[in-house]
Amino acid sequence: MKFQLAINMERMDASLDMKDVARHTLEMVQMADGGGFNIVWAAEHHALEMTIAPNPFSILAWWAENTDRIRLGTAVAVAAYWHPIKLAGEAGFLDLISGGRLEFGIGSGAYQREFDRMAPGLKQSDAWRYMQEMLPCVRELWKGDYEHNGEFWSFPTATAVPKPVQKEVPVWVAARAPITYDYAVREGCNIMSWPLTRGMDEAETYMGRLNEAMAAHPGARRPVMAMMRHTALYDRKEDWMVPVRAAQRQLGQFENLFKNLGDVKDGFPKQIPFEDLGNRAEYDPKMLHDNLMFGTPDEVIAKLKQYEAIGVDEFIYYASLGLGLPEQKRSLELFINEVIPAFS
């Protein structure tokens, strides 16, 4: 099993200075670079302090300049917010300046709140159509001159400038629904999946969807299958509630965005009180501890072995869950020093 890091610049409230957040994020990426992680991912989100990522390529260029070997991925570039020529060129430039380290992740986008601002009138549930038109268009622009007349974009002959230095840029899609697994296999894309706070049965469901997609496309290349979980390690078992409390707070804000309640002040979403949540069972402390990648190094190794056993190729360590900055660094240090060697 290989390991990837997903990390955002994040502030849960205004008590953290933005400069400290930026410095911390880069130091975490540098730790992953020297500690054996394969890929680091930067997101795209807008007008939200909990995920400060207005342009994933700017973030990756920053990381590229300050790392040596780790590969650099977009998780994900939101198709509907881009023009194909601009997206292809930004990706090509990042691949050029990083020495061919780009991993190109593309997706539909997560929050209706963002679509209301970035692509007014577009429903999040319809955004997959933009992604499925965008990806083949970008791939053609990477090859050379290409004219496009599609449903969402049309332009005369153009090409990506600059082009990627890799002969074939690895492409990733975020997949949960069966239709997306089928698309990934058909189009030769790797898959990143996220069971949110659900149990191993959800992870097993995703692996089943991959197997069904492979059966529907005989002879297709099997995608690399990566699975993401919120991750936090600690030295003492009795500290198990520290990351649980952080996750409850962050997930309460996530619910606000997911339901598009409109209760966001100066970029900070209000946390929905637990008593107002219809899905309170998804925030139960023991459930969060058991389902998420929380634990001592030995506990986390045992959890990861379950993912390895069902066929997950790479694990995405999701570091951003509102945990304190020192606790985040100690967690990553424990993972690098004690967990990764168990899978060498």
Side-chain angles (χ1 to χ4, degrees):
M1 180 179 277
K2 294 182 179 179
F3 300 97
Q4 308 172 5
L5 176 68
I7 186 166
N8 303 315
M9 288 175 58
E10 66 168 358
R11 296 200 305 166
M12 309 309 291
D13 57 50
S15 63
L16 274 177
D17 187 276
M18 189 70 76
K19 292 179 181 178
D20 294 333
V21 173
R23 181 171 58 251
H24 165 79
T25 304
L26 178 58
E27 288 170 355
M28 291 279 284
V29 171
Q30 290 172 322
M31 287 173 66
D33 182 42
F37 279 76
N38 183 38
I39 303 170
V40 62
W41 298 102
E44 177 179 4
H45 286 290
H46 300 278
L48 294 169
E49 292 274 358
M50 64 186 291
T51 45
I52 304 163
N55 185 331
F57 298 104
S58 297
I59 296 170
L60 295 176
W62 171 41
W63 294 348
E65 184 66 19
N66 291 281
T67 56
D68 296 317
R69 49 153 296 278
I70 199 164
R71 296 185 61 79
L72 306 156
T74 55
V76 291
V78 181
Y81 303 164
W82 292 82
H83 187 282
I85 296 173
K86 181 173 177 58
L87 182 57
E90 289 269 14
F93 182 76
L94 190 282
D95 200 50
L96 172 67
I97 64 167
S98 68
R101 289 192 274 160
L102 172 65
E103 302 275 327
F104 184 72
I106 187 168
S108 302
Y111 307 134
Q112 185 61 48
R113 180 180 192 272
E114 287 188 330
F115 283 100
D116 291 345
R117 290 152 179 79
M118 301 299 294
L122 176 60
K123 292 182 179 179
Q124 189 276 339
S125 57
D126 293 332
W128 62 272
R129 296 163 59 207
Y130 286 74
M131 188 271 286
Q132 293 198 6
E133 181 176 333
M134 175 70 85
L135 179 56
C137 188
V138 167
R139 281 173 156 168
E140 289 299 323
L141 289 165
W142 284 342
K143 293 176 185 176
D145 281 340
Y146 171 70
E147 178 183 352
H148 186 73
N149 293 289
E151 182 179 0
F152 305 114
W153 300 281
S154 295
F155 52 84
T157 301
T159 189
V161 178
K163 295 179 177 63
V165 298
Q166 295 181 86
K167 184 177 180 181
E168 183 175 355
V169 175
V171 174
W172 296 74
V173 295
R176 295 180 67 198
I179 189 173
T180 315
Y181 282 87
D182 186 81
Y183 178 82
V185 171
R186 186 176 75 245
E187 297 297 324
C189 303
N190 296 324
I191 293 171
M192 55 182 75
S193 58
W194 187 17
L196 301 175
T197 64
R198 297 167 188 168
M200 276 299 298
D201 56 337
E202 185 81 355
E204 291 166 351
T205 295
Y206 294 165
M207 295 307 300
R209 289 172 182 171
L210 172 58
N211 293 334
E212 290 168 5
M214 290 300 300
H217 299 280
R221 177 187 69 85
R222 184 190 182 280
V224 176
M225 181 67 170
M227 202 162 289
M228 182 167 77
R229 286 289 198 184
H230 287 94
T231 302
L233 284 74
Y234 36 84
D235 293 282
R236 306 181 309 162
K237 286 187 178 183
E238 54 264 38
D239 291 334
W240 71 279
M241 275 298 294
V242 174
V244 166
R245 290 192 190 97
Q248 286 177 326
R249 181 186 185 191
Q250 192 216 40
L251 291 165
Q253 292 189 351
F254 175 82
E255 285 286 346
N256 185 321
L257 296 172
F258 194 70
K259 295 175 181 176
N260 199 27
L261 299 181
D263 197 357
V264 179
K265 176 67 174 175
D266 202 24
F268 295 105
K270 181 179 178 181
Q271 178 182 339
I272 301 177
F274 290 163
E275 58 271 19
D276 295 341
L277 289 170
N279 55 338
R280 285 189 295 275
E282 296 183 20
Y283 296 86
D284 176 76
K286 186 177 185 305
M287 181 278 296
L288 290 173
H289 172 266
D290 292 346
N291 291 352
L292 303 182
M293 201 56 65
F294 293 170
T296 63
D298 286 344
E299 290 173 328
V300 166
I301 289 168
K303 289 181 179 182
L304 285 169
K305 292 288 185 183
Q306 297 179 57
Y307 290 90
E308 190 176 51
I310 65 172
V312 174
D313 302 301
E314 307 202 12
F315 174 74
I316 306 175
Y317 177 126
Y318 190 17
S320 299
L321 57 106
L323 199 62
L325 305 190
E327 290 83 1
Q328 286 186 37
K329 282 189 176 172
R330 180 56 179 161
S331 172
L332 188 58
E333 183 180 53
L334 288 169
F335 195 91
I336 289 169
N337 293 338
E338 301 191 35
V339 174
I340 290 180
F343 294 87
S344 297

